[in-house]
Amino acid sequence: MFGKGMVMATIPVDNLNRATNFYANVLGLKRGKPFPNGIRMEAGSKKAVALYLRPRTNSDHTVAWFTVVDFDKTTAELLANGVKFDRYNMPGYSDLGNGIYKFGANKVAWFNDSERNILCVSGEW
């Protein structure tokens, strides 16, 4: 039923210009097609996030999870771009330091966007 399309995370933002700049300049996504009160940010083939203007909802969960081919390179670039990884105490995850965790054979890190939404990056599953 949904196999040929894409799924897109929709992320509420307080300030659309600030969020667009964060996703473009810090995360390296490309500005896509705007829509009323929002913009689509392209993350690769059939991958995107939609940023839309909405008052803060104080979500306390991950709103988007990005998988990457080279986790170590990506996290080094994020740190160089000023991202600070969050620290959590989670059963089943090994703390590797600097807010980077390991579960099974995979590494993962959580961080906040410019609007305080929680994002995650990991190696490919």
Side-chain angles (χ1 to χ4, degrees):
M1 180 184 283
F2 293 108
K4 295 190 185 219
M6 86 152 81
V7 63
M8 184 173 3
T10 55
I11 301 174
V13 299
D14 295 327
N15 183 309
L16 188 57
N17 288 331
R18 179 177 59 210
T20 300
N21 286 330
F22 176 86
Y23 281 81
N25 300 327
V26 176
L27 301 187
L29 277 63
K30 294 184 176 147
R31 288 172 174 87
K33 186 174 181 177
F35 56 88
N37 294 315
I39 188 167
R40 180 172 155 163
M41 301 296 293
E42 304 293 337
S45 177
K46 291 200 170 206
K47 294 181 260 181
V49 296
L51 306 177
Y52 67 99
L53 195 57
R54 178 179 175 182
R56 177 79 179 139
T57 57
N58 293 323
S59 63
D60 61 355
H61 62 278
T62 304
V63 298
W65 188 307
F66 297 90
T67 60
V68 297
V69 174
D70 190 334
F71 177 85
D72 294 331
K73 179 181 177 188
T74 300
T75 53
E77 289 174 1
L78 289 170
L79 290 168
N81 287 341
V83 168
K84 295 190 181 355
F85 296 128
D86 299 333
R87 304 291 304 233
Y88 296 105
N89 181 11
M90 299 177 295
Y93 289 78
S94 301
D95 187 344
L96 301 178
N98 260 355
I100 295 174
Y101 297 87
K102 187 171 184 176
F103 65 97
N106 211 346
K107 292 181 185 175
V108 62
W110 285 267
F111 59 98
N112 293 302
D113 70 6
S114 60
E115 311 306 295
R116 301 177 317 279
N117 291 300
I118 301 170
L119 306 176
C120 183
V121 60
S122 76
E124 292 185 311
W125 289 42

